[in-house]
């Protein structure tokens, strides 16, 4: 179990950023998707406790990180990309359901964290204390650890799969709608993510700088985001995903 957790963590870091693209492609070629999504669904090994179907929190975070990197780095017109997306379509969208479950759990954790932070904020104001940038940074980091990072990563993946497959998008909207939510809630999370993510250096040539221009409408936005995957920074990709989801 410990060896598996370490392997997942190493893969997560190895696949991050544009430099992780070759690793992402090799991972799919080596048939790593089956093992990855078995772990994602909590089926990596027989559980002694039949109720213990959820991966350990840290493992789940790194698994989401790996999937996020795969969508960021694998070229849109590749067989590997099709195989990745197919995982979310097969078995009646069960992996979309799992992703939405993770999202809901992270959102609940974050709500508790936000409530605690707001209580601290009110107490500081009542005591006449000044709230400075250091306090805001400290609270933001607590939110990240308290569910925000998982929520942002889950919604980043949801943004990709909703954009790339109409069936996935319709299913996600249906499940979200049952909870009184919709794609607008994903957009809200991705906006905060976009505001706080740093602009990473890219290997994109100068003539690709307008790849994320979405002024031509949702279809053009989708095409440009997909054409640019594997080359742009996460911040630029987020801009494209937000623009597309806002039109749905």
């Amino acid at each position: 179990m410990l060896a598996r957790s370490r392997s997942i963590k190493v893969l997560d870091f190895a696949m991050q950023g544009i430099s992780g693209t070759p690793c992402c492609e090799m991972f799919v070629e080596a048939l790593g998707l089956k093992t990855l999504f078995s772990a994602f669904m909590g089926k990596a090994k027989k559980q002694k406790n039949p109720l213990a179907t959820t991966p350990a929190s840290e493992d789940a975070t790194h698994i989401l990180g790996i999937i996020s990197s795969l969508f960021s780095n694998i070229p849109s017109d590749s067989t590997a990309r099709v195989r990745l997306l197919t995982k979310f379509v097969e078995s009646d969208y069960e992996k979309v359901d799992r992703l939405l479950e993770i999202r809901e759990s992270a959102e609940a954790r974050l709500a508790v964290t936000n409530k605690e932070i707001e209580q601290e904020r009110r107490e500081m104001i009542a005591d006449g204390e000044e709230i400075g940038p250091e306090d805001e940074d400290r609270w933001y980091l607590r939110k990240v650890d308290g569910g925000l990072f998982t929520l942002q990563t889950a919604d980043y993946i949801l943004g990709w799969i909703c954009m790339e497959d109409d069936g996935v998008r319709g299913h996600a909207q249906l499940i979200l709608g049952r909870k009184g939510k919709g794609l607008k809630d994903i957009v809200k999370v991705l906006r905060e993510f976009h505001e706080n993510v740093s602009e990473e250096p890219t290997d994109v040539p100068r003539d690709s700088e307008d790849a994320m221009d979405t002024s031509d409408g949702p279809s053009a936005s989708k095409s440009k985001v997909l054409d640019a995957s594997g080359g742009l920074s996460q911040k630029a990709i987020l801009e494209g995903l937000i623009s597309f989801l806002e039109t749905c």
Side-chain angles (χ1 to χ4, degrees):
M1 186 69 175
L2 180 60
R4 192 195 76 168
S5 295
R6 288 176 175 172
S7 298
I8 291 172
K9 185 175 182 179
V10 169
L11 279 171
D12 182 16
F13 288 115
M15 292 180 176
Q16 289 177 11
I18 297 171
S19 62
T21 298
C23 185
C24 289
E25 294 174 340
M26 289 175 61
F27 180 81
V28 178
E29 290 174 5
L31 307 180
L33 290 180
K34 182 177 180 180
T35 302
L36 174 66
F37 281 97
S38 290
F40 176 70
M41 295 297 294
K43 301 175 182 176
K45 60 184 292 185
K46 274 191 174 181
Q47 302 282 353
K48 293 182 180 179
N49 179 359
L51 297 178
T53 57
T54 303
S57 178
E58 186 175 357
D59 281 1
T61 299
H62 288 302
I63 289 169
L64 287 177
I66 292 170
I67 298 172
S68 171
S69 293
L70 289 171
F71 274 108
S72 296
N73 292 330
I74 294 178
S76 63
D77 57 352
S78 66
T79 301
R81 185 81 175 197
V82 174
R83 290 167 62 185
L84 174 61
L85 184 60
T86 298
K87 286 295 180 181
F88 286 94
V89 176
E90 66 186 14
S91 303
D92 294 325
Y93 306 108
E94 67 172 5
K95 295 173 185 67
V96 179
D97 293 339
R98 175 75 183 116
L99 187 58
L100 289 169
E101 288 173 3
I102 293 173
R103 182 189 195 280
E104 184 177 4
S105 176
E107 199 171 37
R109 287 170 51 211
L110 181 59
V112 173
T113 303
N114 283 336
K115 186 175 181 179
E116 293 172 351
I117 291 173
E118 285 307 309
Q119 178 63 29
E120 290 181 17
R121 188 189 299 273
R122 286 194 295 269
E123 290 175 357
M124 288 180 68
I125 293 174
D127 292 340
E129 297 182 42
E130 183 177 348
I131 297 175
E134 299 85 359
D135 297 304
E136 297 293 350
D137 290 344
R138 175 171 54 85
W139 286 330
Y140 181 75
L141 290 175
R142 271 182 58 188
K143 288 170 61 178
V144 169
D145 290 337
L148 180 59
F149 179 76
T150 300
L151 180 62
Q152 288 174 338
T153 308
D155 280 358
Y156 181 75
I157 297 168
L158 279 166
W160 271 118
I161 61 179
C162 285
M163 183 178 68
E164 294 196 40
D165 189 271
D166 293 343
V168 168
R169 184 167 67 253
H171 183 77
Q173 287 175 306
L174 176 65
I175 302 303
L176 286 167
R178 291 174 181 173
K179 304 286 186 177
K181 297 184 178 297
L183 296 181
K184 67 181 185 302
D185 296 287
I186 295 176
V187 169
K188 181 179 178 180
V189 172
L190 293 182
R191 281 196 177 282
E192 183 177 9
F193 190 8
H194 176 267
E195 290 171 2
N196 290 281
V197 73
S198 61
E199 185 70 63
E200 302 171 359
T202 71
D203 299 326
V204 179
R206 185 171 296 275
D207 60 5
S208 297
E209 288 180 353
D210 64 345
M212 303 300 284
D213 177 14
T214 58
S215 58
D216 296 328
S219 296
S221 170
K222 176 179 178 180
S223 175
K224 290 172 181 176
V225 176
L226 290 173
D227 289 344
S229 64
L232 293 180
S233 68
Q234 190 173 52
K235 193 176 188 72
I237 291 174
L238 282 166
E239 291 172 1
L241 293 177
I242 291 169
S243 180
F244 176 82
L245 292 175
E246 284 181 328
T247 65
C248 297

